[in-house]
Amino acid sequence: MSIPPQKTALPRRIDARKLVQREQQLDGVVPSEALPRLGESVESVSGDVVVELTFSRDLQRNQMASGHLTLDVNMLCQRCLQPVAQHVEGELAWGFVWSEEQGKALPKSLDPVIQEGDELDLYQVLEDEILLNLPMVAFHDGECVSQEHFHSEAPEKAADEQQENPFKVLEQLKGSSSGSK
């Protein structure tokens, strides 16, 4: 029985230009403690974020990275307000630029990532991607709240009111005006 190798932590700061020139591949993890905005957005994060990134140039010679990220989080179910486990996956397709104008010139298939200066904060860019890939509303797949919690006394009253025709007055007016002709 062999133990799978532990993935190493990815560096927080990278130079995208150098990684693209070397056509480097990064496989590793990002510690969930290093992503404070993610921690604020969910109930808890189960383990670390697993990331695979490949740096290269596309056919138009744009500097880019493509890859995949996965993680497991617990979010608040919007039905029962209890934690619900969510598996989050995201496909990454970044184009590295050094100004907004360059970002506008990228193909639509690439998300612009602006590298200011010599280094890029990889954790911040990955955290942005994770937040965009979180479900907008989390809920359990099965029925987590009993249907008997969704009734009230008001429907009977509303049914009585609906039986009375709101056009009854108009009908009476029409009947009285047709009799006078």
Side-chain angles (χ1 to χ4, degrees):
M1 182 169 126
S2 66
I3 299 173
Q6 291 285 335
K7 290 204 174 210
T8 59
L10 293 176
R12 181 172 195 98
R13 300 192 118 349
I14 61 168
D15 184 348
R17 281 182 272 218
K18 288 182 181 177
L19 294 173
V20 167
Q21 286 173 351
R22 296 183 203 143
E23 294 188 355
Q24 188 104 17
Q25 185 165 351
L26 295 179
D27 291 334
V29 296
V30 175
S32 57
E33 308 84 50
L35 307 172
R37 292 180 296 149
L38 174 63
E40 294 170 2
S41 301
V42 298
E43 289 293 302
S44 65
V45 181
S46 305
D48 295 328
V49 181
V50 179
V51 180
E52 299 171 6
L53 277 174
T54 303
F55 294 82
S56 61
R57 289 188 182 269
D58 65 5
L59 296 175
Q60 291 83 30
R61 307 289 300 151
N62 293 310
Q63 297 184 32
M64 61 171 287
S66 60
H68 187 79
L69 65 83
T70 59
L71 74 146
D72 292 307
V73 298
N74 287 311
M75 298 181 73
L76 198 61
C77 174
Q78 297 300 303
R79 293 180 186 154
C80 68
L81 302 178
Q82 297 298 316
V84 59
Q86 296 283 313
H87 181 72
V88 179
E89 292 192 31
E91 293 298 321
L92 309 172
W94 298 335
F96 297 107
V97 294
W98 286 262
S99 70
E100 278 193 44
E101 292 78 32
Q102 290 176 334
K104 291 176 183 174
L106 282 175
K108 299 273 187 224
S109 61
L110 295 176
D111 294 327
V113 174
I114 299 174
Q115 178 175 324
E116 297 172 352
D118 293 336
E119 292 185 331
L120 174 71
D121 187 343
L122 180 61
Y123 288 11
Q124 182 179 353
V125 178
L126 286 168
E127 188 173 33
D128 291 343
E129 287 289 338
I130 293 166
L131 292 173
L132 289 171
N133 282 289
L134 286 177
M136 298 221 14
V137 178
F139 51 87
H140 291 99
D141 289 335
E143 185 178 311
C144 56
V145 178
S146 174
Q147 290 293 330
E148 52 192 53
H149 292 297
F150 292 112
H151 74 283
S152 67
E153 304 302 319
E156 293 174 15
K157 217 179 222 186
D160 291 340
E161 291 173 9
Q162 285 181 353
Q163 288 177 355
E164 191 173 313
N165 187 349
F167 299 105
K168 189 174 185 179
V169 174
L170 291 174
E171 190 176 293
Q172 291 171 351
L173 289 172
K174 184 179 177 187
S176 65
S177 65
S178 63
S180 62
K181 284 186 178 179

